[in-house]
Amino acid sequence: MREAVKIEDCPEDIEALWAGDGSQLPDWFVSALRVPREEGYVEIDGAKAHYFRWGDRAKPKILMTHGFLSHARCFAFIAPFLADDYDVVAFDLAGMGDSEMRGQADPLARGREFAEIADAIGMFANGDKPTIIAHSFGSGAALTAVSQSPETFAGVVICDLMVMRPPLLEAYWTLRRASPGSGDPDKAKSRYSSYDAARSRYVLSPPQPVGEAFLLDYMAYHSMQRDGEGWTWKFSPEVFRRSNRPDEWLTTGERLVNAPGRKAIVHGEESQLFNRDSAEYVRELGGGDIPIIAVPHARHHLMLDQPLAFVTALRSVLHLWGEQPPATHAAI
């Protein structure tokens, strides 16, 4: 099943948060949301999967997804800057955003989601191989996807995935900071009397200020839904029903280096989860040919800190890959 609606303008994305004509918002943001896009659902294993799509169907394919408990709109103001040169899809992982939960939340099931959504919306129709761009938790799932189906994807851009040397990661956890994919299932059942009450509980993980505060409001609004007279979170409690074993994260560096195909890393220069030592660690593990780009003045949620610099980093990787044969990596 495929249901889709063509959206020539997106006033609901703007006016839901800011009354009036949105003139207090940056021109680049308003213009990005007005780039024509398709919004739709496809049915996969009896559950609806939600996506956005921009650009020309005849051009190279890009498949984007988000971090844990987030949603595809984290790329809604990023993807339009790629739409002139690519066919871009951003999708909600199962049980998050506007996608229904399906199957299991284990890592193997998460990896399969990339091929499932791409196949369902016809991205493989002409033998095309999408390039994956994924953030944080979604990047870990993307590594699983390319490992499961090495011939299916053209490459993967890993955006601020948590990669640390095991001793540093264990020290990080002793500070009671949660690993990606962890959390309380009961939070998904929380109900708030007003939007403001719900908004006050929306926080980033790991905690950080953001460079563009209005983008945090935008992400928060689309993380919630009305429930009668109140508000609830969109994500399903089922997303927490996974093992989330420590070894899954202690070996992330090895998984990244050993994953097949072209890879690049884009991270916030001030990120807690991927820093200069993380880059050195990747090199030591054998990833010397993997391009690593640090976005200045950005933390883990780099699209909320430095969205236009993030766009520039992605454009650079994609452009260089377009000029290089798949068996090589461009040095950046």
Side-chain angles (χ1 to χ4, degrees), residues 66-136:
H66 54 83
F68 194 63
L69 304 187
S70 188
H71 46 79
R73 279 185 169 88
C74 71
F75 288 111
F77 45 89
I78 301 295
F81 290 97
L82 307 176
D84 284 344
D85 300 309
Y86 302 94
D87 174 15
V88 188
V89 169
F91 73 99
D92 290 331
L93 291 165
M96 303 184 208
D98 293 301
S99 287
E100 296 175 342
M101 191 63 203
R102 65 179 186 275
Q104 302 296 314
D106 65 272
L108 293 179
R110 288 295 182 202
R112 289 192 294 270
E113 291 190 42
F114 293 83
E116 289 172 345
I117 189 77
D119 183 49
I121 62 176
M123 296 189 87
F124 300 141
N126 299 312
D128 293 309
K129 296 182 179 182
T131 295
I132 296 174
I133 298 175
H135 179 239
S136 191

Side-chain angles (χ1 to χ4, degrees), residues 13 16 56 59 76 99 141 144 176 178 222 298:
D13 272 3
D56 186 339
K59 293 188 175 180
S99 287
T144 301
R176 298 184 179 179
H222 289 291

